[in-house]
Amino acid sequence: MKDFRIIQAMLAPLARRAATDLTSLTRFVTAASRRPSHSVRRAVATTASAAMADDKFSLPERYKGTEKNIWVEFIQLALEHKPLNLGQGFPDYGCPKHVTEGLAEVMHDPNLLLNQYTRGYGHPRLVNALAKLYSGLLDRTIDPFTEVLVSQGAYGCLYNAILGHVKPGDEVIIIEPFFDCYQPMVKIAGGTPVFVPLRPRQDAAARADGALSSADWVLDPAELRAAFGPRTKMIILNTPNNPLGKVFTRPELELIAELCQSHNALCLSDEVYEWMVFKPAEHIRIAGLPGMWDRTITVGSAGKTFSVTGWKLGWAYGPAKLMHNLQVVHQNTLYTCSTPLQEALARSFEHEMSLMGSPECYFTSLANDELRPKRDYMAQFLTDCGMKPVIPEGGYFMVADWTSLDKSKIDLSPYTPGKPDDHRFVYWLVHHHKLQGIPPSSFYSAEHKKLAEHYIRFCFIKDDKNLEKAESILKELKKSME
Amino acid sequence: MSAMLAPLARRAATDLTSLTRFVTAASRRPSHSVRRAVATTASAAMADKFSLPERYKGTEKNIWVEFIQLALEHKPLNLGQGFPDYGCPKHVTEGLAEVMHDPNLLLNQYTRGYGHPRLVNALAKLYSGLLDRTIDPLSEVLVSQGAYGCLYNAILGHVKPGDEVIIIEPFFDCYQPMVKIAGGTPVFVPLRPRQDAPARADGALSSADWVLDPAELRAAFGPRTKMIILNTPNNPLGKVFTRPELELIAELCQSHNALCLSDEVYEWMVFKPAEHIRIAGLPGMWDRTITVGSAGKTFSVTGWKLGWAYGPAKLMHNLQVVHQNTLYTCSTPLQEALARSFEHEMSLMGSPECYFTSLANDELRPKRDYMAQFLTDCGMKPVIPEGGYFMVADWTSLDKSKIDLSPYTPGKPDDHRFVYWLVHHHKLQGIPPSSFYSAEHKKLAEHYIRFCFIKDDKNLEKAESILKELKKSME
């Protein structure tokens, strides 16, 4: 009887917690069934203290596994070694003057309310400009209030789309290589990623000169078909693709469109590099394909469009029914974005839209006049030093095969053992030649990292003098290998 | 049958309802009806595919959407939503313009994810001084998209399914949906006007008269309590929690191993003799407190949408993880400008020119007193706030026989209907404070209306004449 009351007293706190902490109660009962009563007391004490230990303030389950981030690692590496940094993707020279001047003007505007709260789903002047722009490009009338959402960068829009649509148990197809944030966002939403890799094709190269091109990296249609199933909620498409620079062709998009429709799945199309496309490649918006407007959410970026990655404004557009879910996530996460930045961005859009079709329009001059020469220059000096670049059709990154260098002169052993070779090569290059790239295996799922091991990613939206510095560093590297 | 069953069976792991409906229908009806039952079931299942995930259900409606819409339709004098309608300190806007002309072009490119170095250094320095401890700018300070975004990071970063979160009412409306999204259960503890002698010598109602019942607060804490959310100064009441009140909260947090999430966005808007006390500075509390601040409120630029959280590294880690997976980094130029403005004001700290003191003493106090006076004159009973820039007033002392609420939002609490009445009849807009209460406690707020007084004097004067008209119309 005494034992019963003792046990009951010990049980009470565990029972109260049992709805959320069944483990502790189970341990206690198991212990009690096996041992005499003084041991039971000890078992309870051990159980209780284990339950009270630091697990209380640990990360919630949904975030476990998302703590590490490659940018933290490589920004740290750059801080320590101060290399010529062609790693993280941002321009190190100026944006169009009207962009920065525009924000300065907003600060001097007599309308003081431009520094106060604006409409939650997007500043009216900006959503109107975006709706007008994309209505023209898609040849349909897009409603600025129900079909356009402005959030904290394209990153924030991807978050709104994934968290707003992916339910526990849903599958999300991610084409590899992928921008690293897609995977943790799917996990946080409780979804399961299904990876489908791009691979360099084995037959004839796309380019007439025989050089490798991002166009040579293709999906296996059978593999893509097999990835779609009854649990598929969404496929995430990134075109132009980071890091390859691949610009998906119409037939490739049509296959994705066909599968989305037959499986009633959404397409989340990350098109942040939409204006960085090198002729003859052409950016095609999957939302404009037949049957796709109703099941596509497209994401864009002010940072990439106007070369101001630090402004962190992005947008998503799509049918009202689907956009509603993004609005709900947005209003519960951060509610509204910066008014002055949105006002300035609206003015800059109006300016460029008045120039559309002309060569002065930044939407065309950025790719044609600024980036293309830099791309070609980088491809040439990477080739000269012995690497094999994959010429991108879009974007501002280039991956290059470094394994054509003399491997006997590259000792990777001191660097990040256990990691894929490209990761170790990035460290080697920083230590030996003070030049930083990013390992493309970071953009692959665990099971496919080997596909990227031979490559390194460099960013070419850099001032010419920095590209020239890169060229001399690589000339040195070549010399050191002779 | 097998062909019809196959798609439902494949989905059954996540959609048992549809399969069950099918089987139930099949067991009851002849085969052509079964086909129809299946078709209905299938289309119902398909429509549900793009519905909101469970975690967001119930969070779609938002009072701001409703009242911004009301204002758009009727164009009243708007003393509803809280933002200044006049200028911020000149160095703030000038600062951002200067950043645009800075030769350092990288000020328009990505900065550090957890907060621009110059800004987190300024914030760490500021709060280190105020809390008399050394705060590490890199591991103990996080900058996010407004205080709103920081609250999100804190709640989503710490609340697990099954956790309880104590919310003191009235509360800023976003706390409740965020707790729901995290899978937590809110436990509401209301502030109530006390029955004994009012705090103010002149007998007028004060936010200091609104207090918690200590026994009720104690009872709210339990083994599942993860967190209590404190907002001081409080929106909408303007209550500034006293040291004894904070000490009780601190005692309960420690005895229950719970966190305190302290929303202190109005920290600089405190009217003497009230004093803003940071609970993170109380004994034993640094290690279990996350404090949130706001650029929009500190510098009167609500449209800049930058906020920060500070606390011990172990707790802040969780906020960093949520932040890096949600939006990764905030605007560089805004953070740079804000850092410069902080440095400027910090060099003036202690002097009357410092905006951190002049805002409350020179600008807001007179506006507060003016509003209290014209609300009293027209027959309402204002609750004088000790802090913040909102004032609630009891409108039920007006002649109710002259106020016909019947056409307005039937079924809603009376304050909600009164706000509509006031907009329709007198083109003046406030916010119903019952919006800041849980469903079970909305009655506590029905007699009040909330007005914002951080408005240009000419607009406050307009409000006074509108209310004079109202009074006349009731005679």
Side-chain angles (χ1 to χ4, degrees):
Chain A
M1 193 52 185
K2 201 171 129 196
D3 261 355
F4 173 84
R5 263 186 265 145
I6 289 169
I7 289 172
Q8 190 179 51
M10 291 182 213
L11 258 178
L14 292 169
R16 276 199 301 270
R17 282 205 308 273
T20 51
D21 184 16
L22 193 53
T23 314
S24 297
L25 180 63
T26 311
R27 282 199 206 122
F28 174 81
V29 171
T30 311
S33 67
R34 287 199 207 128
R35 307 179 195 193
S37 68
H38 68 274
S39 301
V40 166
R41 241 168 259 135
R42 222 169 49 230
V44 169
T46 320
T47 307
S49 69
M52 294 307 268
D54 276 356
D55 196 56
K56 184 166 185 179
F57 304 118
S58 64
L59 266 179
E61 208 52 49
R62 72 183 87 86
Y63 286 104
K64 289 202 175 126
T66 72
E67 300 99 297
K68 294 266 170 272
N69 184 284
I70 57 158
W71 307 110
V72 176
E73 178 183 0
F74 289 103
I75 286 170
Q76 189 55 33
L77 184 66
L79 277 171
E80 279 165 21
H81 295 273
K82 312 211 180 306
L84 176 67
N85 195 343
L86 302 187
Q88 198 184 3
F90 59 85
D92 61 3
Y93 59 96
C95 61
K97 218 157 168 47
H98 63 78
V99 178
T100 40
E101 277 311 308
L103 185 55
E105 279 162 23
V106 171
M107 288 299 103
H108 295 131
D109 199 298
N111 179 4
L112 303 175
L113 292 182
L114 291 175
N115 286 293
Q116 307 304 333
Y117 290 128
T118 185
R119 179 178 166 268
Y121 301 147
H123 187 56
R125 189 169 182 176
L126 178 57
V127 292
N128 281 324
L130 291 166
K132 185 173 170 197
L133 173 68
Y134 290 107
S135 292
L137 291 166
L138 286 171
D139 196 25
R140 69 176 305 125
T141 308
I142 297 174
D143 182 288
F145 298 117
T146 60
E147 299 184 322
V148 182
L149 172 70
V150 174
S151 200
Q152 182 72 353
Y155 207 105
C157 291
L158 291 165
Y159 182 83
N160 294 336
I162 293 169
L163 271 290
H165 279 288
V166 177
K167 300 173 183 171
D170 281 349
E171 289 179 1
V172 177
I173 297 170
I174 298 178
I175 296 171
E176 304 183 279
F178 57 90
F179 183 58
D180 63 293
C181 78
Y182 304 160
Q183 187 175 5
M185 287 179 185
V186 169
K187 176 187 195 303
I188 290 162
T192 306
V194 174
F195 297 101
V196 181
L198 288 159
R199 293 188 183 83
R201 62 175 159 212
Q202 299 308 314
D203 55 11
R207 285 175 64 100
D209 61 6
L212 295 170
S213 156
S214 56
D216 296 320
W217 287 64
V218 294
L219 293 171
D220 175 349
E223 198 173 356
L224 183 64
R225 281 185 189 284
F228 276 80
R231 289 197 203 175
T232 305
K233 177 58 67 71
M234 181 188 277
I235 176 170
I236 304 178
L237 169 69
N238 175 218
T239 180
N241 170 278
N242 172 10
L244 292 173
K246 175 185 177 63
V247 174
F248 282 70
T249 62
R250 188 170 296 272
E252 288 172 323
L253 296 175
E254 283 170 344
L255 174 58
I256 293 170
E258 177 214 313
L259 292 166
C260 284
Q261 286 171 85
S262 61
H263 288 82
N264 193 21
L266 300 181
C267 179
L268 174 57
S269 190
D270 176 353
E271 299 185 14
V272 296
Y273 302 103
E274 59 186 315
W275 300 113
M276 301 180 196
V277 177
F278 309 112
K279 297 188 185 17
E282 187 202 334
H283 179 64
I284 302 167
R285 292 177 177 81
I286 195 171
L289 263 56
M292 287 307 283
W293 170 258
D294 290 312
R295 55 180 69 255
T296 305
I297 297 162
T298 310
V299 168
S301 157
K304 307 291 191 281
T305 297
F306 287 106
S307 300
V308 282
T309 60
W311 281 38
K312 284 291 293 184
L313 276 177
W315 50 86
Y317 58 88
K321 183 181 179 302
L322 297 182
M323 291 301 296
H324 168 73
N325 297 32
L326 281 70
Q327 290 174 335
V328 174
V329 177
H330 172 88
Q331 86 190 14
N332 284 302
T333 309
L334 52 88
Y335 194 67
T336 186
C337 292
S338 160
T339 315
L341 288 179
Q342 292 189 74
E343 173 71 18
L345 193 60
R347 297 179 188 190
S348 287
F349 263 116
E350 289 164 8
H351 174 89
E352 293 297 343
M353 282 159 68
S354 72
L355 298 173
M356 268 185 96
S358 85
E360 292 83 52
C361 180
Y362 194 66
F363 301 163
T364 28
S365 70
L366 174 61
N368 292 348
D369 304 344
E370 288 184 37
L371 289 180
R372 190 186 191 111
K374 292 177 191 291
R375 177 194 76 160
D376 295 344
Y377 178 40
M378 176 176 274
Q380 169 238 302
F381 68 66
L382 288 178
T383 305
D384 288 349
C385 89
M387 295 199 203
K388 291 213 190 98
V390 176
I391 321 280
E393 303 156 277
Y396 52 46
F397 297 110
M398 184 176 299
V399 299
D401 184 342
W402 56 272
T403 60
S404 42
L405 297 172
D406 186 350
K407 299 274 254 327
S408 69
K409 302 267 170 42
I410 302 173
D411 178 17
L412 297 182
S413 53
Y415 309 107
T416 60
K419 292 280 190 174
D421 282 354
D422 60 336
H423 192 277
R424 310 177 79 190
F425 179 68
V426 165
Y427 273 75
W428 178 89
L429 195 61
V430 167
H431 278 89
H432 286 263
H433 295 281
K434 282 192 144 19
L435 174 66
Q436 183 166 341
I438 293 289
S441 61
S442 315
F443 305 116
Y444 278 82
S445 61
E447 58 263 37
H448 292 144
K449 286 192 188 299
K450 291 265 166 204
L451 289 171
E453 270 197 310
H454 292 186
Y455 299 92
I456 183 169
R457 185 193 85 167
F458 291 118
C459 174
F460 56 86
I461 190 165
K462 303 291 178 187
D463 200 293
D464 284 346
K465 62 169 166 36
N466 285 322
L467 295 176
E468 284 156 19
K469 260 180 87 176
E471 179 177 34
S472 28
I473 287 174
L474 291 171
K475 278 185 161 130
E476 274 303 308
L477 179 145
K478 180 177 188 187
K479 225 182 251 174
S480 74
M481 299 208 152
E482 282 155 5
Chain B
M1 185 77 66
S2 171
M4 290 181 217
L5 258 177
L8 293 169
R10 277 200 299 271
R11 279 205 308 275
T14 52
D15 184 15
L16 191 54
T17 315
S18 296
L19 180 61
T20 312
R21 280 196 207 124
F22 173 81
V23 171
T24 312
S27 67
R28 286 197 208 129
R29 306 179 196 194
S31 67
H32 68 270
S33 301
V34 167
R35 240 168 257 132
R36 216 167 53 229
V38 170
T40 320
T41 308
S43 71
M46 297 308 256
D48 199 55
K49 185 168 182 177
F50 304 118
S51 64
L52 265 180
E54 207 52 49
R55 71 182 90 85
Y56 288 105
K57 289 204 175 126
T59 71
E60 299 98 298
K61 293 265 170 278
N62 183 284
I63 56 158
W64 306 111
V65 175
E66 177 183 0
F67 289 104
I68 286 170
Q69 189 54 34
L70 184 66
L72 277 171
E73 280 165 20
H74 296 273
K75 308 207 183 312
L77 176 67
N78 195 341
L79 302 187
Q81 199 185 2
F83 60 86
D85 61 4
Y86 59 96
C88 62
K90 220 161 165 47
H91 63 78
V92 177
T93 40
E94 277 312 306
L96 185 55
E98 278 162 23
V99 173
M100 287 299 105
H101 294 131
D102 200 298
N104 180 5
L105 302 175
L106 293 181
L107 290 175
N108 286 293
Q109 307 304 333
Y110 290 128
T111 186
R112 179 178 168 268
Y114 302 147
H116 187 55
R118 190 169 182 175
L119 178 57
V120 293
N121 282 330
L123 290 167
K125 185 174 171 195
L126 173 68
Y127 291 108
S128 290
L130 291 166
L131 286 170
D132 195 27
R133 71 175 305 123
T134 308
I135 298 175
D136 183 282
L138 302 179
S139 62
E140 299 185 321
V141 182
L142 173 70
V143 174
S144 202
Q145 181 72 350
Y148 207 106
C150 291
L151 292 165
Y152 182 83
N153 294 335
I155 294 169
L156 272 290
H158 281 286
V159 177
K160 299 171 181 170
D163 282 349
E164 289 178 0
V165 177
I166 298 170
I167 298 178
I168 296 170
E169 303 184 280
F171 58 92
F172 183 57
D173 63 294
C174 78
Y175 304 160
Q176 187 175 6
M178 287 179 184
V179 169
K180 177 191 194 301
I181 290 161
T185 305
V187 174
F188 297 102
V189 181
L191 288 160
R192 292 189 184 82
R194 62 176 161 208
Q195 300 307 316
D196 57 10
R200 285 175 65 100
D202 60 6
L205 295 170
S206 156
S207 57
D209 296 320
W210 287 65
V211 296
L212 294 171
D213 175 349
E216 198 172 357
L217 183 65
R218 281 184 189 283
F221 277 80
R224 287 196 206 176
T225 306
K226 177 57 68 68
M227 180 189 276
I228 176 169
I229 304 179
L230 168 69
N231 176 217
T232 180
N234 169 277
N235 171 9
L237 292 174
K239 176 185 177 62
V240 174
F241 282 70
T242 63
R243 189 170 295 272
E245 289 172 322
L246 296 175
E247 283 169 344
L248 174 58
I249 292 170
E251 178 213 313
L252 292 166
C253 284
Q254 287 171 83
S255 60
H256 288 82
N257 193 23
L259 300 181
C260 179
L261 174 57
S262 190
D263 176 353
E264 300 185 14
V265 296
Y266 302 104
E267 60 187 313
W268 301 112
M269 301 181 197
V270 176
F271 309 113
K272 296 189 187 21
E275 187 203 333
H276 179 64
I277 302 166
R278 292 177 175 81
I279 194 171
L282 262 56
M285 287 307 283
W286 170 259
D287 290 313
R288 55 180 68 255
T289 304
I290 297 161
T291 309
V292 169
S294 158
K297 306 293 191 280
T298 297
F299 287 107
S300 300
V301 282
T302 60
W304 281 37
K305 284 292 293 184
L306 276 177
W308 49 86
Y310 58 88
K314 184 180 178 301
L315 297 182
M316 291 301 296
H317 169 72
N318 298 31
L319 280 71
Q320 291 174 334
V321 175
V322 178
H323 172 87
Q324 88 191 12
N325 284 302
T326 309
L327 50 91
Y328 193 67
T329 187
C330 290
S331 159
T332 314
L334 288 180
Q335 292 188 74
E336 173 71 18
L338 192 59
R340 297 179 189 192
S341 286
F342 262 115
E343 289 164 9
H344 174 89
E345 292 298 342
M346 282 158 70
S347 73
L348 297 173
M349 267 184 95
S351 86
E353 292 83 52
C354 180
Y355 194 64
F356 301 162
T357 27
S358 69
L359 174 59
N361 292 348
D362 305 343
E363 288 184 39
L364 287 180
R365 191 185 191 113
K367 292 179 192 289
R368 176 195 76 159
D369 295 343
Y370 178 39
M371 176 175 275
Q373 169 237 306
F374 66 66
L375 287 178
T376 306
D377 288 348
C378 88
M380 295 198 204
K381 291 212 188 101
V383 176
I384 321 284
E386 303 156 275
Y389 53 46
F390 297 110
M391 183 177 299
V392 298
D394 184 341
W395 55 272
T396 60
S397 42
L398 297 171
D399 185 349
K400 299 273 254 329
S401 68
K402 303 269 169 48
I403 303 173
D404 178 17
L405 296 183
S406 53
Y408 309 107
T409 61
K412 292 279 189 175
D414 281 354
D415 60 336
H416 192 276
R417 309 177 77 190
F418 179 69
V419 164
Y420 273 75
W421 178 88
L422 195 60
V423 167
H424 278 88
H425 286 263
H426 295 282
K427 281 191 143 28
L428 173 66
Q429 182 165 342
I431 293 288
S434 62
S435 315
F436 305 117
Y437 277 83
S438 60
E440 58 260 40
H441 293 145
K442 286 193 188 297
K443 291 264 165 205
L444 290 171
E446 269 197 311
H447 292 186
Y448 299 92
I449 183 168
R450 184 193 88 168
F451 291 118
C452 175
F453 56 85
I454 191 166
K455 302 292 178 187
D456 200 294
D457 285 344
K458 62 170 165 37
N459 284 324
L460 295 176
E461 286 156 19
K462 258 180 86 178
E464 181 178 30
S465 30
I466 288 175
L467 291 171
K468 278 186 161 133
E469 274 301 309
L470 178 145
K471 180 177 187 187
K472 221 180 258 177
S473 73
M474 297 206 153
E475 283 157 6

